[in-house]
Amino acid sequence: MNIAILSRNSNLYSTRRLLEAAEERGHKARILDHLKCDIIIEQNNPLIYYKGEQINDIDAIIPRIGASVTFYGSAVVRQFEMMNVFTTTNSQALVRSRDKLRSLQLLARSGVGLPKTAFTNYSKEEKNLVEVVGGAPLVIKLLEGTQGVGVVLAETKKAAQSVIEAFHNLKARVIVQEFIKEAKAADIRAFVVNGEVVGAMKRQGKEGEFRSNLHQGGSATVVKLSRAEKSAALKATQAMGLSIAGVDMLQSSRGPLILEVNSSPGLEGIEKATNVDIAGKIIQYIETNQPKTQPRRKKISH
Ligand code: ADP
Ligand code: MG
């Protein structure tokens, strides 16, 4: 098969591993920078040009779209979909996953556990918001944040109210969330490929830090998930319409609580912690879902 990895940087661990895994399994693979793809729209004739070259021999794409380029990246994925190219991440699911509020609403409907969360249009009712999610301590998160940046723990009601007020005055949107103390500054990342948890790790925040993000100095170890945790990860992935996802959850006294579902989950932390060839699992997923192109490839090799 001809596989394209949509990535802005060929030196990234995840990009390199996917390329390697595709080649190891006998496929032709290349990296396309989605921001350098031109989209041509015409009746019944969707086209993509890459640095001036028409792209028409791709059987499957693996989108690795960063949060800052979701708009254009998802349009490129959509164009490949128009061209009947198989994608490991559906364009609509990608867009959906990038909206924290919409994601939480969908997840809540699917019945998975979530920390109690409030979101408002810059409400002046800070006091009520704080009470609704259970009082202090509580977590305040910038809606647009990633990698732990913009996630604040407010220890008292007063502190919580002032932080919410400050963000709102800056016209920064925040979500206000119940603090899950029992998680003990750790969270779980479950990597899902095609309806199966293929690897899971526990991330522990460094000393004195409640955020477990590796980017904030957290450390990762392999973990065996309980049945409830596995089921929550699969349900959350399905609710988002994703086939590949990194599902983050907290271990609480009332079971697993989903924090977020990542549509371009990194491979480095999880492969190193678990020793599982996750890149290979992704390529395998493409192989099992790509019957359409098999006859064409056969014909060419005759
Ligand atoms: P980001 O998208 O920036 O990673 P997260 O919502 O994943 O934001 O929060 C970052 C980290 O902060 C989590 O991995 C977790 O360790 C901690 N955290 C987030 N929300 C809560 C919460 N409600 N209770 C306890 N810890 C939390
Ligand atoms: Mg996170």
Side-chain angles (χ1 to χ4, degrees):
M1 264 190 286
N2 265 335
I3 298 174
I5 299 147
L6 302 187
S7 166
R8 299 226 48 213
N9 186 347
S10 53
N11 293 320
L12 290 179
Y13 178 93
S14 303
T15 311
R16 281 192 285 114
R17 282 286 299 123
L18 287 164
L19 193 72
E20 207 174 85
E23 284 170 353
E24 251 167 36
R25 301 181 66 90
H27 303 293
K28 261 178 75 180
R30 67 184 292 191
I31 296 161
L32 298 178
D33 177 349
H34 35 282
L35 295 193
K36 296 195 174 126
C37 289
D38 292 320
I39 295 170
I40 316 296
I41 298 167
E42 190 189 22
Q43 192 176 33
N44 295 328
N45 189 26
L47 298 176
I48 291 181
Y49 281 84
Y50 186 67
K51 297 180 181 173
E53 164 209 359
Q54 192 185 333
I55 299 292
N56 52 15
D57 61 346
I58 303 293
D59 301 310
I61 55 167
I62 307 176
R64 303 278 321 161
I65 312 290
S68 61
V69 295
T70 303
F71 172 75
Y72 199 77
S74 62
V76 172
V77 175
R78 203 177 310 119
Q79 189 77 352
F80 275 109
E81 287 169 350
M82 302 288 158
M83 292 159 64
N84 288 323
V85 173
F86 179 77
T87 173
T88 56
T89 305
N90 168 275
S91 61
Q92 266 190 43
L94 172 68
V95 173
R96 204 180 284 137
S97 76
R98 291 291 156 81
D99 182 334
K100 274 193 189 181
L101 173 61
R102 189 173 171 194
S103 301
L104 285 174
Q105 288 174 316
L106 286 169
L107 290 170
R109 189 179 59 184
S110 79
V112 297
L114 298 167
K116 193 163 183 184
T117 304
F119 179 78
T120 81
N121 188 38
Y122 311 113
S123 164
K124 294 283 172 218
E125 305 295 325
E126 291 92 2
K127 193 157 177 268
N128 185 47
L129 280 183
V130 168
E131 270 156 23
V132 165
V133 301
L138 54 76
V139 179
I140 299 162
K141 299 182 191 181
L142 266 180
L143 199 58
E144 304 288 323
T146 56
Q147 305 181 339
V149 180
V151 179
V152 180
L153 176 62
E155 309 261 8
T156 65
K157 278 190 189 179
K158 278 261 174 304
Q161 286 174 32
S162 347
V163 174
I164 298 168
E165 190 182 30
F167 276 132
H168 280 177
N169 283 341
L170 290 167
K171 284 284 169 220
R173 286 196 188 275
V174 291
I175 56 179
V176 181
Q177 197 165 65
E178 147 194 29
F179 175 56
I180 308 300
K181 195 165 172 239
E182 322 86 270
K184 297 198 181 88
D187 76 351
I188 285 180
R189 158 65 60 95
F191 205 107
V192 176
V193 179
N194 197 19
E196 196 193 332
V197 175
V198 293
M201 61 177 168
K202 187 166 185 166
R203 296 177 297 199
Q204 183 68 50
K206 68 174 184 208
E207 184 79 36
E209 173 61 69
F210 85 102
R211 296 166 300 176
S212 56
N213 300 68
L214 302 183
H215 285 95
Q216 300 298 336
S219 53
T221 44
V222 63
V223 68
K224 193 166 161 27
L225 297 189
S226 68
R227 202 189 281 184
E229 287 160 351
K230 252 189 207 165
S231 146
L234 297 179
K235 226 175 181 178
T237 305
Q238 197 181 20
M240 300 298 297
L242 291 164
S243 312
I244 295 177
V247 182
D248 294 347
M249 60 184 117
L250 296 174
Q251 289 177 310
S252 83
S253 48
R254 57 178 200 269
L257 303 178
I258 303 289
L259 278 183
E260 61 177 345
V261 181
N262 222 295
S263 54
S264 280
L267 297 184
E268 185 165 12
I270 192 87
E271 284 199 336
K272 287 187 175 163
T274 60
N275 259 321
V276 175
D277 174 13
I278 306 241
K281 301 266 185 199
I282 292 175
I283 304 302
Q284 240 174 312
Y285 162 55
I286 297 177
E287 290 166 353
T288 55
N289 279 275
Q290 191 46 9
K292 272 185 310 214
T293 58
Q294 297 304 329
R296 181 162 74 83
R297 299 291 304 160
K298 268 196 197 126
K299 219 157 106 197
I300 290 165
S301 60
H302 271 254

